[in-house]
Amino acid sequence: MILIEHLSKYYGKVKAVDDISFKVKKGELFAFLGVNGAGKSTTIGVISASHKKDTGKVFVGGIDIDANTEAIKRDIGVVFQNSVLDKALSVKANLENRAALYGIGGAAFKKRLNELIALLDFADILNRPVGKLSGGQRRRIDIARALIHSPKLLILDEPTTGLDPQTRTMLWEVIERLRKETDMTVLLTTHYMEEAANADNVVIIDGGKIIAEGTPLELKNKYTGDFISLYNVSESEVELLGKPYEKIADGYKICVKDTNEATNLIIGYPQIFRDYEIIKGRMDDVFLSVTGKRLGENK
């Protein structure tokens, strides 16, 4: 769905995006991660044809962005980090105005509006001014706006930041339903690592360059170890294992290189592993390992 080859974008002498290449398959959830200022928003701007690139090639749905920008725009829906809805207008008026930009009106608009109401459950706020909506309600309408023209590619720029857990869960259920039913491709930027952990593929960008990419499992295996939480043991027993450890609330946390090493310990010391659990490294650990920063920090 997306093919980027040697993309670069400069702002004066600043290399916002510096010779990056990656691809996104049709129908997949692709996470694009980086701290603020890493180059994510610039890349998204180029993909969505709102920023001009300096060098490189960008294809969306097999179309060269230099050859047919308008066709690409019709295939893309974007949920921006900050809402772009008109607060003075009603929900319906906002969506009607957006639909008109794609030539969707009359019966076609009513049909699409009813589909989105059923999908995102906003019938009760349809005639309410956007400025009177809660954050979660406004986010639902942001997504409806992005979906009004049935795009093939949905770009989500930190879509759930600041939302309550219930609304975040609802929005992800909607997105996953759309992926299954329409094979829609989703490009995600997020500060919530549990969202990135559910992606099919992940790219981490820092200083305008791609510094890590792969599936969540590949990245965890490459950049983090596993952890064993041991319970109902003494510290002297833990010391026998000869591995780095730390005290936790109900026991000890032991660091191991991988699952194979954990298995060997369990087989070698069955008398110690009476009560335990093995936890793989998290995407937070991956991000910290490859960038030296925690997601959400400024550059």
Side-chain angles (χ1 to χ4, degrees):
M1 189 66 197
I2 301 173
L3 176 62
I4 292 180
E5 297 177 333
H6 304 291
L7 173 65
S8 293
K9 172 66 179 176
Y10 305 91
Y11 294 105
K13 294 183 179 180
V14 177
K15 294 181 179 179
V17 177
D18 189 6
D19 191 26
I20 68 170
S21 300
F22 65 89
K23 61 183 177 181
V24 180
K25 296 178 182 177
K26 182 181 178 182
E28 79 175 354
L29 172 59
F30 186 94
F32 193 49
L33 308 180
V35 296
N36 295 332
K40 305 188 307 298
S41 295
T42 299
T43 303
I44 287 173
V46 171
I47 294 171
S48 59
S50 61
H51 294 1
K52 289 187 176 294
K53 60 184 173 59
D54 288 307
T55 62
K57 287 286 188 180
V58 176
F59 298 87
V60 177
I63 301 172
D64 187 334
I65 199 168
D66 293 331
N68 197 335
T69 299
E70 290 307 312
I72 287 175
K73 285 182 176 181
R74 294 189 70 87
D75 283 343
I76 297 176
V78 184
V79 178
F80 296 98
Q81 184 175 349
N82 298 312
S83 178
V84 293
L85 298 169
D86 189 325
K87 294 182 180 180
L89 296 181
S90 69
V91 167
K92 183 177 180 181
N94 266 278
L95 297 178
E96 199 165 20
N97 289 348
R98 183 64 178 175
L101 296 178
Y102 294 94
I104 304 170
F109 169 70
K110 289 181 181 179
K111 180 176 182 292
R112 185 58 178 154
L113 179 63
N114 287 332
E115 290 171 350
L116 292 172
I117 288 173
L119 184 69
L120 291 157
D121 188 25
F122 59 88
D124 57 330
I125 58 172
L126 188 61
N127 296 307
R128 192 179 303 176
V130 165
K132 300 291 186 181
L133 303 182
S134 68
Q137 290 171 329
R138 190 177 301 125
R139 212 50 170 158
R140 275 187 277 168
I141 308 309
D142 281 323
I143 292 176
R145 175 188 178 277
L147 294 173
I148 196 74
H149 58 299
S150 303
K152 297 176 183 175
L153 169 64
L154 180 64
I155 298 176
L156 302 173
D157 191 7
E158 298 181 25
T160 58
T161 298
L163 298 184
D164 61 90
Q166 183 179 358
T167 303
R168 284 174 60 196
T169 299
M170 184 275 292
L171 292 182
W172 275 111
E173 287 174 350
V174 168
I175 291 163
E176 285 305 304
R177 178 180 165 187
L178 285 169
R179 288 182 62 212
K180 290 177 181 177
E181 293 180 356
T182 69
D183 204 25
M184 186 177 67
T185 307
V186 178
L187 174 62
L188 167 73
T189 77
T190 182
H191 283 165
Y192 295 108
M193 285 291 90
E194 67 270 25
E195 294 178 348
N198 292 325
D200 297 299
N201 279 289
V202 177
V203 156
I204 298 176
I205 186 171
D206 195 39
K209 290 181 175 292
I210 291 175
I211 56 174
E213 57 186 314
T215 67
L217 180 59
E218 287 169 346
L219 293 174
K220 289 176 186 179
N221 286 339
K222 184 173 182 179
Y223 293 105
T224 71
D226 288 358
F227 302 96
I228 306 172
S229 293
L230 260 176
Y231 308 109
N232 298 317
V233 293
S234 65
E235 187 166 4
S236 60
E237 287 179 304
V238 174
E239 289 175 346
L240 288 174
L241 301 175
K243 299 294 178 183
Y245 68 89
E246 62 178 283
K247 185 78 173 71
I248 57 176
D250 298 312
Y252 295 88
K253 183 179 179 181
I254 302 165
C255 299
V256 292
K257 185 175 66 174
D258 51 31
T259 305
N260 186 55
E261 186 172 50
T263 301
N264 290 335
L265 281 178
I266 294 167
I267 294 172
Y269 298 89
Q271 72 281 8
I272 296 177
F273 288 87
R274 300 181 293 271
D275 187 3
Y276 67 93
E277 58 184 343
I278 302 175
I279 303 169
K280 294 200 75 66
R282 303 171 302 165
M283 286 301 297
D284 302 74
D285 302 315
V286 171
F287 193 86
L288 181 60
S289 176
V290 298
T291 67
K293 307 160 190 170
R294 293 197 178 278
L295 202 56
E297 292 179 350
N298 289 326
K299 186 179 178 183

